[in-house]
Amino acid sequence: MVSLTLVRGDITEEAVDAVVNAANSSLLGGGGVDGAIHRGGGPEILEQCRALRAERYVDGLPTGHAVATTAGRLPARWVVHTVGPVWSRTEDRSADLIACYRESLRVADELGARTVAFPAISTGIYGWPIDDGARIAVGTVSAAVTAVEEVRFVLFDEIAYAAFETSLRDARDR
Ligand code: ADP
């Protein structure tokens, strides 16, 4: 069973096999985690993203899908780019958010990764409420069938960290 841990901090500093990027479908960079990963990792990541766009994802990486590149100058070995859903008040898009965690773990398995760091996907620029985002993240990863041994959720601020702590406690009590 995969072991879940929580860290407060910047995901680009994690020395894990794979860090997951909350990317957008262009794969060409953005704000938040995406910006930090490209800034920290350097041009090597963007070059591979450009090649993926040209060869495999001409229309962009669809929401809920995941694809890997190397990690450039980051301490991790790989970056798994996934595209979270934009929060909607009128439409339930949680299946897409679940797919991001599942697909990222599937890609991590393909790479042979044993340690994976996730941000709280969709809870920044994409507006997903943090409590619900944390519940989906913890629930999906704990139920996943994977060879990954440790999943580290790396939370940028105190509110996100507290939301993940609560979700983890709820999952353990169940
Ligand atoms: P999205 O577009 O999927 O919402 P964001 O990158 O805007 O992605 O935000 C996702 C989450 O990651 C937010 O909770 C945000 O506070 C957090 N975040 C932003 N930068 C970092 C970072 N360097 N390391 C870890 N988490 C981060």
Side-chain angles (χ1 to χ4, degrees):
M1 217 180 75
V2 54
S3 126
L4 305 192
T5 52
L6 304 185
V7 176
R8 167 102 193 262
D10 178 347
I11 198 164
T12 63
E13 292 171 9
E14 292 297 318
V16 284
D17 293 332
V19 294
V20 176
N21 181 15
N24 59 55
S25 79
S26 82
L27 289 178
L28 301 179
V33 176
D34 203 8
I37 282 179
H38 283 285
R39 265 195 311 279
E44 181 183 313
I45 302 175
L46 191 58
E47 272 163 34
Q48 291 170 66
C49 285
R50 285 214 178 93
L52 284 165
R53 276 300 302 276
E55 291 153 19
R56 264 173 80 183
Y57 298 107
V58 176
D59 298 323
L61 182 67
T63 305
H65 290 232
V67 68
T69 64
T70 55
R73 294 195 294 261
L74 296 180
R77 295 172 67 187
W78 299 288
V79 176
V80 176
H81 306 263
T82 189
V83 182
V86 175
W87 165 258
S88 162
R89 204 171 278 284
T90 53
E91 193 188 352
D92 180 7
R93 298 179 180 167
S94 46
D96 284 334
L97 189 53
I98 290 169
C100 285
Y101 288 99
R102 283 207 189 122
E103 279 298 294
S104 298
L105 286 174
R106 189 185 59 72
V107 170
D109 275 331
E110 279 176 7
L111 295 166
R114 292 292 176 264
T115 52
V116 178
F118 275 99
I121 300 166
S122 286
T123 66
I125 296 158
Y126 283 1
W128 206 284
I130 187 66
D131 290 342
D132 197 56
R135 183 185 61 77
I136 289 172
V138 168
T140 307
V141 172
S142 0
V145 178
T146 172
V148 171
E149 289 161 5
E150 184 198 346
V151 163
R152 226 175 270 178
F153 290 110
V154 184
L155 294 324
F156 211 42
D157 58 45
E158 195 52 56
I159 291 169
Y161 188 92
F164 272 73
E165 250 185 340
T166 303
S167 292
L168 210 54
R169 202 176 315 123
D170 289 351
R172 281 180 182 146
D173 290 347
R174 229 175 280 129

